[in-house]
Amino acid sequence: EDQVTQSPEALRLQEGESSSLNCSYTVSGLRGLFWYRQDPGKGPEFLFTLYSAGEEKEKERLKATLTKKESFLHITAPKPEDSATYLCAVQATGGFKTIFGAGTRLFVKA
Amino acid sequence: EAQVTQNPRYLITVTGKKLTVTCSQNMNHEYMSWYRQDPGLGLRQIYYSMNVEVTDKGDVPEGYKVSRKEKRNFPLILESPSPNQTSLYFCASSQAGFVEKLFFGSGTQLSVL
């Protein structure tokens, strides 16, 4: 069964304290892995798509990487405005479902 | 402005009273989908549609119906709501179903008493 597990459930950082969020996935074949950001009371917003192991993508203080079993979202020198829930999702070959993890709630304190 | 619009934003109803949550997108997207979000469970797909008149079940379709008569609209119908359908619902769309980023609506918070 296709599955996505994110850790930790919640992460508290001081402003400027870099860290990483983990997304472990189990799929029969990976078509793509997505990262989304969700602010309270809003729908998720797209951040990145990764297609194959070894791929990396960056956007401002965020960098996403992908291996054959997991993806990491690295946050460098975070700011309070980076506080949000970060969602990982996968789409498997042979179907059109996008399967989401439960998310990591990130809190960045000034 | 490109967007996915859901209505209503909040809805309180009683068990068994039929309701419809509307979803409309203005991006000419072929793919549309409904998700529910529950604490600790993340987003779970209810139904999706690859194009007009083409719909298929997601992971949690029981108790829900959808229709796709027009490309821009994808309403979610609860014919006989029950308390376990209390949840936050999101509609999403993308250009096509294949590895395309999803655009989400703002969500509908449904409470079934």
Side-chain angles (χ1 to χ4, degrees):
Chain A
E1 182 184 344
D2 299 332
Q3 194 171 316
V4 178
T5 303
Q6 292 187 246
S7 62
E9 287 187 19
L11 181 61
R12 298 180 184 274
L13 301 174
Q14 288 291 129
E15 184 173 4
E17 180 186 1
S18 301
S19 188
S20 297
L21 313 182
N22 177 262
C23 171
S24 298
Y25 64 91
T26 305
V27 293
S28 49
L30 182 68
R31 182 175 275 157
L33 182 141
F34 308 85
W35 283 98
Y36 289 84
R37 169 187 170 133
Q38 185 175 21
D39 292 300
K42 295 188 176 182
E45 286 189 19
F46 172 80
L47 291 172
F48 304 109
T49 306
L50 301 168
Y51 298 97
S52 58
E55 190 174 1
E56 298 181 353
K57 288 195 177 174
E58 287 188 68
K59 179 180 180 181
E60 296 180 358
R61 295 176 292 281
L62 300 177
K63 179 180 178 180
T65 61
L66 181 64
T67 72
K68 287 188 177 179
K69 293 186 177 181
E70 55 192 352
S71 177
F72 293 93
L73 184 65
H74 306 277
I75 303 176
T76 302
K79 298 182 177 182
E81 54 261 43
D82 294 322
S83 297
T85 296
Y86 290 86
L87 302 172
C88 174
V90 299
Q91 195 176 79
T93 56
F96 304 104
K97 296 181 187 179
T98 300
I99 302 162
F100 283 82
T104 293
R105 287 174 294 148
L106 175 65
F107 304 92
V108 182
K109 187 176 179 182
Chain B
E1 179 188 356
Q3 60 185 4
V4 177
T5 304
Q6 287 179 237
N7 281 296
R9 185 77 174 86
Y10 300 95
L11 180 58
I12 301 174
T13 190
V14 295
T15 299
K17 186 176 182 180
K18 181 179 179 180
L19 66 91
T20 299
V21 184
T22 64
C23 174
S24 179
Q25 49 93 6
N26 63 359
M27 294 168 279
N28 201 37
H29 284 170
E30 292 185 355
Y31 180 92
M32 297 186 75
S33 182
W34 276 102
Y35 291 85
R36 60 178 288 174
Q37 187 173 38
D38 301 289
L41 296 178
L43 284 160
R44 292 180 292 168
Q45 192 170 37
I46 303 171
Y47 270 95
Y48 63 93
S49 169
M50 296 297 293
N51 213 325
V52 175
E53 302 292 0
V54 180
T55 63
D56 207 349
K57 296 177 181 179
D59 292 319
V60 288
E62 294 79 19
Y64 305 94
K65 284 178 59 177
V66 293
S67 68
R68 187 94 180 273
K69 293 184 170 55
E70 303 168 286
K71 197 171 187 178
R72 63 182 293 128
N73 295 324
F74 191 44
L76 180 69
I77 303 160
L78 284 72
E79 298 242 338
S80 184
S82 62
N84 64 12
Q85 293 179 297
T86 292
S87 186
L88 178 59
Y89 291 86
F90 287 101
C91 179
S93 72
S94 69
Q95 181 59 45
F98 298 98
V99 208
E100 288 282 344
K101 65 182 181 182
L102 290 166
F103 293 81
F104 283 84
S106 297
T108 296
Q109 180 64 58
L110 172 65
S111 296
V112 184
L113 305 177

